[in-house]
Amino acid sequence: MKTVARQIVGVYFVGIFVLIPGLWAATMNGYGGWDSMVGQLQFSNVSNFSTFLMDPSTGTLYLGARDAILAVDSSSLRQKHTQIIWNVPEDKQQSCVGKGKTEGDCHNYIRLLEFVADGRIYACGTYAFDPQCAVINMLDFSLERAEDGSVRMETGKGKCPFEPSQHYTAVMADGVLYAATTSNFLGTLFDISRATGSEGERIRTEQSINWLSDPEFVSSSFIKERSDTGDDDKIYFFFTEVAKEYDLYTKVKVSRVARVCKGDVGGMKTLQKRWTTFLKAQLVCEDRASGQRYNILTNVFTKEHRPGDPSSTQFYGIFTSQWEREELSAVCMYSLADINKVMAGSFKELKKNCENWMNPDPIPNPRPGQCITRALKAAGFESSLKLPDKVLTFVRDHPLMENSVVSAPLLVRRGITYTRIAVTLTPTANSDQGSAAVLLLGTDRGELHRVSVVGQNATLLQEVPLFTAQEPVNNILLYQDQALVGSPLSLARVAAEGCGVYPTCEECARAQVLGCKWSLKEGTCTPILIGPLQVESEDALKLCDTGEARCAPVLKELRVVEGLRVLLPCVQVSPRPCHWEYPPDRHTRQHHAHLEVTVTTASLGSYTCYCEEGRRDGPACRRATYTLTLEGPQVGVSVSLAGSRQVVAVYLFCFMAGVVFGGFLLHLFRKRRGIRHAPEKGRDLLPSSDTPQSPSSTSLLSEGVPLTEKRNGTLNGHGGLYSNAGGLKLQESAANLAEELGSTDRMGRLGAGLGARSEEELRSEDETVVERVDERMDAFRGAPLAQCEENSF
């Protein structure tokens, strides 16, 4: 145990010394040194940051955490921050725990921070599964209090979730809060509501699975869409829910966008205090070439491509797939015009008699779900209260649109899980291409990825590690020329755009389409200020000394042995396909962009992955290259399963022979010394049945020697083998024999009778034991060995 403890301590200290340089490199890599990073140690007893709010007039960043709200100067993160403690009383925490919740969840997790009028902030927290809201005075950064000194609070139900981990979104529109959250303690009821304002103006969704079916809310946006027709402003909600239009054996999740009008006040009789403009449509993110569809939405960023023009709004969403087991992320973009076009289309209806979705006909007039425009007001419909019951009944029963909002992925990454997205627009070097979108993508491993998107071409520019692998990125906020990136424990500030963010020649060459070039004289990435782009991308990569460029990867040599299976990774950024070049005599299998190779003498050689990232007729980009070389057999890797079973059989035979021989030597020793032992002493001579050395212990033999998770010599990173279940009968018989011969009771009786028995009696008994062992071992020798399992990947 001391040896194991010393090894654990050694690994711990090695991890510390490995981690510290990594954090230093991540912090000092061109982003302002330690001033760029605010870690958990600088926030005394504060963690679980979940909400960001930026005051653009002062540059102050407000952070919502567990039991606290912090104010940080974004221009200098090292300056001392101020904080408000807003915790839960002890008796309320105990009551929460008594209802079956964990102590960790029975705190006040701040989930909402939004500006309201007169320099105040509206804040809401879970408050031990009893959501509460309060107002923060920004002048002295304090919670408003009642006359008795207590915090002035109001209920947060419908404004804030009950549980810290529940999916939730909210947005403030002209001082009124619109929220999408759970509305009960159990988390089984869901609402999209106008959560503040006068009591008569508070309306919400209908409690119907046709409106919301077990949704997971993702994001919300307030879009001012007033035009010459007098159209109303709208609030858009993005979420994933269980589809009711698909009648399959399993629950199918789909991504949705829902829309409500800001001026909606509900119906007079039908849909009273309910939305009369609630419409939703499916978001489809699909790669048509491969037929791959990504159906689960995880995050959305709203961006106006032309500032001041709401019609140019684009929504960038991160998707994953319900059907994929491996990590996978895709990014799709949807325009506001495409969403509005679908919302103005036909409705979807479920016919109860045949259980098929069909288009209803006819649609009543005025059109259900539309906002109150000048034309409707001229026709006598001044508000939603004036709408006819047939219109309200129709929109109540048909909230789903027939058509879907379809988009192709801008990029697809396998082996990566993106958690947050932000988008900046940068002029390109080629004026004909307009502007390029630079995607800032946070991962679940604390990294920030930069990807440029020009037309249909996506290029991975940079991967920056910001936090430890256990800290997922949960917030990205853009302010001026910087991006504030947060995790549950830390905060980092990095440059949002500009050529200076690319510290190496290779990264600068990838960003050439953004108007960047590498200055050999200065050793920095500088913008191209005058004239058009003169150097082609491939030529720019050749200017770099090292070969670690986007289309010139480093050759990696892998030393392997025959019979192994190795997986050669290839990073696929664009949704367009990748292909491999390899030796003709081989046994391979492609998993998306990655390649699985079964090592034989004929499969040795060079393997190169090419991915299409530009035009379909353009040259493919070389993303990875490997060479497989053969080395000598390794212990535990090249041994066959048949050999493993023979080794187990020999081991059992030797072990049992050793037990018998040891007992015989013990008998001779006792006879020679003339020592008489009590039964308890006899039991102490055998190992404990709890230890792995004991034949009766299940930890050694009864698990089939599971040295690895792969089977039949498949490499899994540990170089082990998996012994199949066919040898369990042999192991079980050996264990039973060991238990019968080596039981403590028998040895106790043997030790107790040593002095009372004659030498002939003892010799006779020993011969009997040896004969029984020989009989059992003969049975083992004749037992057939189990057949090998079939290879499986």
Side-chain angles (χ1 to χ4, degrees), residues 38-79:
V38 177
Q40 183 184 11
L41 295 178
Q42 293 176 290
F43 293 130
S44 178
N45 298 325
V46 181
S47 62
N48 296 95
F49 301 105
S50 61
T51 307
F52 279 18
L53 180 65
M54 173 61 71
D55 183 2
S57 61
T58 62
T60 302
L61 176 66
Y62 297 96
L63 305 174
R66 189 178 82 168
D67 298 329
I69 305 167
L70 281 67
V72 179
D73 186 359
S74 62
S75 62
S76 179
L77 299 182
R78 295 186 61 182
Q79 289 186 1

Side-chain angles (χ1 to χ4, degrees), residues 48 141 192 575:
N48 296 95
F141 194 58
I192 294 178

